[in-house]
Amino acid sequence: MKKASELNFGEKGTIKDIITLNPSYKRIIEIGFTPGQEIELVNTSIFNDPLTFSLRGTLIAIRKNQADCIIIN
Amino acid sequence: MSKTPLINLVGPPNSGKTTLFNIFSGKHFKTVNYPGSTVEYSSSDFLDKFNINAKILDSPGLISLNANSPDEEVAIESLFNQPNNGIPDLILVTADASQITRHLLLTKQLIEAGFKVILVLTMIDILNRKNLKVNTSLLSEILGIDVVAVNGRTEEGIDELTVKIKENLSKGKNIPDHNILSTFKDKDYLINTFEKIESISSKVIESVTPDIENANKQLNIQNPILRESTQKPDALTLKIDKYLLHKYFGFIFFLLMMGAIFTSIFWLAAPLMDLVDTLFSSLANYAAESLGNNWFSHLISDGIISGTGAVLIFLPQILILFLILGLLEDTGYLARGATLIDKPLSMIGLNGKSFVPMLSGFACAIPAILSTRTIPNRRERFLTIFIIPLMSCSARLPVYVLIIAYLTPPDKPWLAGFFLSFVYLISIILSVVVAFVINKFNKSLIKTQDDSSFILELPTYKLPKLKVVLRNSYENSKEYILRAGPIILVLSLLIWFLTYMPNHSPEFDKTGMTEEEIILLEKSERISNSYAAKIGIFIEPIMNPLGMDWRVGVSLIAAFAAREVFVSSMALIFKVTDDENIQNSLLTAMRDAKIESNGEPLFTTATSIGLIFFFIFALQCISTIAVSRKETGSWRIPILQLTIFTSTAYLFTFLIVNVLRMIGIN
Ligand SMILES: Nc1nc2c(ncn2[C@@H]2O[C@H](COP(=O)(O)OP(=O)(O)OP(=O)(O)O)[C@@H](O)[C@H]2O)c(=O)[nH]1
Ligand SMILES: [Mg+2]
C-alpha cells in the first residue's frame, strides 16, 4: 500500500482509495481525487511540503499530511 | 405586486463568476486569476441593454454543497434563504469548461437539490487551446437544464445566455429541498457522482476538428487522444512551472520577485511624484499670491492645498503598487507563491493562504483583512488578521518617503530605494516574529483551535488582462482618495485652526524688518501661543524621552485617524511658504527645526529612524480597527492589536533613539 505522499517527483499513480486519515478527506474527494484517477507528482517545493499533483487536467497543491489519505496502486 | 427576481451566481473558485457579474452589471469588481478573489456578496441590477428585470448576486467560490467550514455553512444556507430575498429565482452556476470533470459536482448537487439552474461553461477558449470543445446541447439534454458556453474575455455567448435567462425567469420558481444536503456528505455518494460526471464528460467533450474524430469512430478507436488531453494540464502552464515551481530555483525566483516589486515602487513613481508636487506647489503659491497675507489666504494655501498636496504626492506610488500586485495576481503566479511558502508560514501558525492577504496588506490593510476569508481555519485566519497591520501599507509610504528623503542625499535616489526596501524587510521580519510570539500564546490570545489544512488549485497561467488590471488599480486608488481624502482635509483644517488660533495676528515691533522677516516672525509667534502649543504641554513629557517635541506629538496623534495625516500635519506645522516645491520646503523646515526647550535640532538621524520604527509598529488607522472588529466578531483582537502594537511602537522608538544616541549617532 502506497500513499500519494510517497510518490517520487514526476512519478504517476492511480488512486485506489481515499482513507479517513485526515479530517479534510471529504474535501479531497470533492476537488476530484477519486478512485481510478491517475495523478502525477509535479512539484515538491524546497521544503517538500505542500505537494503539487496533476489531476483531471489541473494542478492542485495539498499538504503532505493530506496526501497521506490518498492510497494509490 | 411581485418582487424583483433574484439571480444568484454560484460556482467553484476562479471559475469566472465575477467576470460574468461585471459583464451583466457594468460594474468593475475585482477579477483575478486566484481562487478566492471574491470574498463578499455584491448585488446589482442588470444593465439596461440586457433588458432583464432582475437583481444579480455575485458570491464567493463554492466547491460543493457540503460545508467544510463555518463560512461555507453560511454561504450554503444563504442559497436556501438569501437574507432579504429568500430563495433565488434562478441560479447561474459557472463551471470551467477546461476542468469540467471537477467543476460539474456543484452543478449536479444544485440540480439534485431542486434549484432552477442554468449552467454557464466558462473558459471555453482554454479548452479550445487543447483543440477540444463541449457539445452544449447534448450536455443540456443529459443534465436536463439549459447550458450555455461563454468566453468571459470576449463576451462571446452572452447573447445566448441573456435569452436563456429570460426564458427561465418566465417559468416561475422552484422550491429546493434542504434535507437532501445530508446525503451529499456521504463518501460513496461523492465517488458515485464523480463516476457519473466522468461518463457525461466523455460523451460531451468533442474534438474541434470533427473529421478526425469521425474517422476514429469509424475505425472504432475509443478516442484515446481526447481522454488524454482532457486529463493533461495546460501544456504551457506545465512548461512555465518547470522553472517557476522548480524545487530550488522556484524559491529563489519567488524571493527575487518580491524584492523587485518593492524596490520598483520607488523607481517607477519618482517622475510622476514630481509632477504632482509641482502641480500642488504652484497651486499653493498661486493661491497665496492672489489672496494676500491674511488668515483666509493662509487657510487655503497652507491649510488645504499644501496639506492635501503633501499626501497626494504619494498617490503615484500607491497606484503603481496596486498595478504591480494586480498584474501579478492576474497571471496566476500568486497561487504558486502561496504554495511555496505554506511550509514556513505554517511553522509560525499561519497558512500558505495567508500569503496573498499579507501581500495585499502592503497596499492597504482593509481589503487584506477581508481577503483572509479564504483561510478556512479560524485560528490561522485570526492570526493573519492580527499581523496584517504590521505590513507596511501604502498609507505609511508618505511618512517613510518623507523621512527617508530627509536622511538620504537627494543625488542618490538608489540609496533611498534601498533604504525603503530595508524598511519593508524589517516590517516583514517583525511580523514573522510577532506571529511566532502570538502563536505561542495562542490559547490565551486568539482563543480558537481547529485543524489546519491547505488545498489550493494552481490556476492556468494567463496573460494578464491589462484593461481589467488598470481598472482595478484605478478603482483602488480612487477608493483610497475617497477614504483618506476627507479625513486628511478635516484634520488639516483642525490642525490649521489649532496652530493658527487664538493669536492669529501677533503684535510686535516691526521696525527695520523686511517683509519676509515679518511673515516668519508672525508665524512663529502665532504657533508658540496657539491652542496646539497649549495642548502640546501635556504631550511633552511623553515625547521628550523620544527626543521629540510636542509638534511631532501633535502630528503623531493626528495620524491615529489615518497615517498619512502625519505628513500633512507636519507640512502645516513646519512649512514655511516659499517658492520651492512642497517636499523640499518641508525638508528645509525640518532641517531648521529646533526643540524649543533646549535649542537642539529636532530631526536628528536618531529621532528620524525612531520615527520610522514608530510607524512600522503603531496601529494608527481607525478603519483597520473597525474591519478587524467586524471580521473577528468581537473587540478582543482589535483592542489587543491596538494596545500591543502601539505600546511596542513607543517602546521601540524609545530604545532605538536612545541606543543610537549612546553609540554616538545623533
Ligand atoms: N481565458 C479566459 N479567462 C477567463 C474567462 N472568464 C474569466 N476569466 C479569467 O479567469 C480569472 C478568474 O475570473 P473571476 O471572474 O475572478 O472568477 P471568480 O469565479 O469570480 O473567482 P473567485 O471570486 O476567486 O471565486 C480572471 O483572471 C478572469 O480574467 C474566460 O472565459 N476565458
Ligand atoms: Mg469572484
Side-chain angles (χ1 to χ4, degrees):
Chain A
M1 195 175 83
K2 192 171 176 178
K3 297 169 185 162
S5 52
E6 291 161 357
L7 283 173
N8 291 318
F9 177 75
E11 194 185 346
K12 288 180 186 164
T14 304
I15 301 174
K16 195 168 151 221
D17 195 11
I18 306 294
I19 55 172
T20 58
L21 206 65
N22 188 297
S24 55
Y25 80 95
K26 255 184 229 155
R27 188 38 57 93
I28 288 178
I29 300 176
E30 284 170 345
I31 56 167
F33 287 96
T34 55
Q37 289 296 317
E38 191 183 65
I39 58 171
E40 178 184 340
L41 182 65
V42 293
N43 167 262
T44 61
S45 77
I46 190 164
F47 307 103
N48 270 321
D49 192 12
L51 307 172
T52 307
F53 294 97
S54 142
L55 161 86
R56 294 174 183 267
T58 6
L59 301 174
I60 294 175
I62 57 177
R63 285 207 183 137
K64 213 170 180 160
N65 62 4
Q66 294 172 302
D68 283 340
C69 308
I70 305 169
I71 305 298
I72 51 175
N73 281 332
Chain B
M1 213 194 82
S2 68
K3 260 175 50 177
T4 326
L6 177 74
I7 302 177
N8 199 344
L9 270 163
V10 183
N14 215 32
S15 58
K17 297 175 292 301
T18 306
T19 305
L20 275 183
F21 178 82
N22 287 346
I23 292 175
F24 281 124
S25 65
K27 296 236 158 45
H28 302 283
F29 282 102
K30 188 170 173 182
T31 58
V32 292
N33 198 6
Y34 179 82
S37 48
T38 305
V39 288
E40 273 194 307
Y41 291 88
S42 37
S43 78
S44 165
D45 294 325
F46 279 79
L47 285 180
D48 287 340
K49 68 174 179 194
F50 295 105
N51 194 20
I52 297 174
N53 173 32
K55 284 219 170 307
I56 184 159
L57 180 75
D58 189 17
S59 55
L62 201 59
I63 286 173
S64 83
L65 288 187
N66 171 26
N68 214 21
S69 71
D71 294 277
E72 280 183 18
E73 180 101 43
V74 174
I76 293 164
E77 282 311 313
S78 74
L79 277 180
F80 288 87
N81 192 1
Q82 277 297 337
N84 311 327
N85 286 303
I87 301 165
D89 295 80
L90 175 63
I91 288 184
L92 293 186
V93 58
T94 53
D96 178 343
S98 66
Q99 303 191 50
I100 198 161
T101 68
R102 296 192 328 108
H103 280 189
L104 277 189
L105 174 69
L106 183 66
T107 310
K108 287 227 48 132
Q109 290 179 335
L110 286 167
I111 297 171
E112 284 165 23
F115 287 100
K116 184 184 279 181
V117 185
I118 297 180
L119 172 61
V120 186
L121 289 173
T122 58
M123 325 256 175
I124 35 170
D125 49 320
I126 294 179
L127 191 66
N128 283 346
R129 277 220 300 253
K130 296 183 183 175
N131 218 4
L132 299 173
K133 63 176 202 255
V134 178
N135 183 337
T136 48
S137 51
L138 183 59
L139 183 58
S140 157
E141 202 175 295
I142 298 173
L143 293 176
I145 56 167
D146 284 324
V147 179
V148 184
V150 161
N151 181 339
R153 295 200 157 184
T154 60
E155 305 200 5
E156 193 184 320
I158 292 294
D159 291 341
E160 190 190 344
L161 182 57
T162 311
V163 174
K164 295 284 192 242
I165 290 175
K166 284 180 193 156
E167 273 175 28
N168 275 272
L169 281 181
S170 67
K171 276 190 276 183
K173 211 164 168 160
N174 289 12
I175 304 297
D177 173 17
H178 189 277
N179 293 331
I180 202 166
L181 287 190
S182 56
T183 63
F184 295 160
K185 290 189 169 58
D186 185 51
K187 178 178 159 187
D188 291 334
Y189 158 83
L190 285 172
I191 292 176
N192 261 328
T193 308
F194 267 108
E195 275 167 8
K196 280 184 210 151
I197 291 172
E198 274 145 36
S199 95
I200 296 174
S201 76
S202 69
K203 283 184 200 127
V204 298
I205 298 228
E206 296 172 347
S207 167
V208 173
T209 41
D211 297 350
I212 303 172
E213 201 183 343
N214 283 338
N216 276 342
K217 269 191 187 140
Q218 272 161 16
L219 292 170
N220 221 352
I221 296 173
Q222 257 303 308
N223 230 336
I225 313 151
L226 218 74
R227 220 189 125 67
E228 263 289 278
S229 51
T230 47
Q231 296 293 79
K232 262 228 156 68
D234 181 64
L236 185 65
T237 298
L238 279 179
K239 220 181 256 169
I240 298 174
D241 273 341
K242 261 217 174 83
Y243 301 98
L244 296 193
L245 281 186
H246 183 278
K247 189 160 185 169
Y248 307 109
F249 301 138
F251 201 69
I252 295 170
F253 179 80
F254 173 76
L255 294 178
L256 284 178
M257 184 90 125
M258 293 300 119
I261 292 176
F262 292 118
T263 35
S264 62
I265 301 171
F266 223 96
W267 303 103
L268 295 173
L272 289 170
M273 288 171 64
D274 283 345
L275 198 76
V276 182
D277 196 350
T278 317
L279 189 78
F280 272 91
S281 41
S282 47
L283 208 64
N285 279 328
Y286 174 75
E289 268 163 32
S290 51
L291 295 170
N293 184 16
N294 54 49
W295 72 266
F296 184 68
S297 158
H298 296 159
L299 168 69
I300 299 292
S301 62
D302 295 355
I304 297 178
I305 302 180
S306 303
T308 39
V311 176
L312 287 186
I313 290 172
F314 304 95
L315 195 64
Q317 285 189 326
I318 291 160
L319 195 88
I320 286 172
L321 182 68
F322 281 127
L323 197 69
I324 295 179
L325 285 183
L327 283 175
L328 200 62
E329 265 182 313
D330 209 27
T331 57
Y333 181 71
L334 287 191
R336 271 96 184 155
T339 308
L340 287 174
I341 60 164
D342 174 61
K343 186 72 191 177
L345 287 181
S346 73
M347 292 192 288
I348 53 169
L350 298 169
N351 189 298
K353 290 187 181 173
S354 310
F355 167 65
V356 172
M358 281 164 71
L359 195 61
S360 43
F362 283 98
C364 177
I366 292 146
I369 289 178
L370 287 176
S371 67
T372 58
R373 291 189 193 166
T374 52
I375 307 171
N377 174 302
R378 271 170 75 86
R379 178 180 53 82
E380 291 168 343
R381 175 148 35 106
F382 284 8
L383 191 56
T384 310
I385 293 177
F386 202 97
I387 63 158
I388 279 179
L390 288 177
M391 305 292 125
S392 271
C393 69
S394 49
R396 273 176 260 206
L397 256 178
V399 180
Y400 293 154
V401 174
L402 178 71
I403 300 174
I404 289 172
Y406 182 76
L407 287 175
T408 53
D411 56 332
K412 297 202 178 72
W414 58 270
L415 194 62
F418 179 77
F419 210 144
L420 187 71
S421 315
F422 190 67
V423 171
Y424 277 119
L425 196 66
I426 291 176
S427 89
I428 294 170
I429 294 172
L430 286 176
S431 63
V432 167
V433 174
V434 170
F436 179 79
V437 173
I438 300 286
N439 191 38
K440 283 270 169 268
F441 295 102
N442 163 37
K443 291 232 167 52
S444 52
L445 288 178
I446 307 248
K447 287 196 168 159
T448 156
Q449 189 80 47
D450 46 345
D451 296 305
S452 171
S453 71
F454 179 84
I455 301 178
L456 189 64
E457 186 192 323
L458 307 186
T460 312
Y461 284 112
K462 290 190 180 124
L463 213 56
K465 222 182 158 189
L466 193 64
K467 207 176 106 197
V468 176
V469 175
L470 280 174
R471 188 89 217 186
N472 276 339
S473 319
Y474 166 75
E475 297 284 331
N476 279 327
S477 312
K478 195 173 86 185
E479 205 178 302
Y480 169 85
I481 296 179
L482 291 181
R483 192 178 52 238
I487 302 179
I488 294 167
L489 198 66
V490 167
L491 281 172
S492 293
L493 288 178
L494 183 71
I495 291 166
W496 177 84
F497 178 82
L498 290 178
T499 51
Y500 203 89
M501 301 293 171
N503 191 17
H504 48 86
S505 7
E507 298 289 333
F508 48 86
D509 187 10
K510 289 176 186 147
T511 44
M513 283 180 159
T514 66
E515 179 141 4
E516 221 159 277
E517 281 168 336
I518 293 176
I519 295 181
L520 266 177
L521 196 60
E522 268 184 353
K523 272 212 162 180
S524 68
E525 278 291 306
R526 202 180 277 139
I527 203 162
S528 51
N529 290 312
S530 66
Y531 291 127
K534 293 196 181 94
I535 302 172
I537 296 170
F538 294 102
I539 325 174
E540 278 296 348
I542 310 172
M543 296 310 293
N544 280 342
L546 306 182
M548 300 170 202
D549 71 356
W550 65 269
R551 289 174 294 178
V552 182
V554 167
S555 303
L556 282 181
I557 291 175
F560 271 91
R563 294 177 176 100
E564 318 83 322
V565 171
F566 181 77
V567 177
S568 53
S569 161
M570 292 273 288
L572 264 165
I573 297 181
F574 289 102
K575 191 181 169 280
V576 187
T577 316
D578 54 24
D579 50 15
E580 275 183 282
N581 63 17
I582 296 180
Q583 210 189 353
N584 281 343
S585 68
L586 179 53
L587 290 177
T588 315
M590 283 168 69
R591 254 172 220 123
D592 296 339
K594 304 259 185 300
I595 295 184
E596 276 158 18
S597 51
N598 53 17
E600 289 193 3
L602 175 53
F603 295 98
T604 62
T605 308
T607 55
S608 306
I609 294 181
L611 267 178
I612 291 185
F613 271 88
F614 188 88
F615 275 91
I616 287 180
F617 272 107
L619 177 48
Q620 296 167 289
C621 177
I622 292 170
S623 327
T624 303
I625 296 172
V627 176
S628 170
R629 155 78 185 81
K630 183 168 151 251
E631 293 297 305
T632 59
S634 82
W635 281 109
R636 268 184 66 76
I637 288 182
I639 287 174
L640 279 172
Q641 286 173 306
L642 184 66
T643 48
I644 292 179
F645 291 153
T646 309
S647 54
T648 322
Y650 185 82
L651 212 68
F652 243 80
T653 311
F654 174 76
L655 283 176
I656 297 242
V657 171
N658 289 291
V659 168
L660 282 179
R661 283 185 171 168
M662 252 153 52
I663 59 173
I665 300 173
N666 204 338

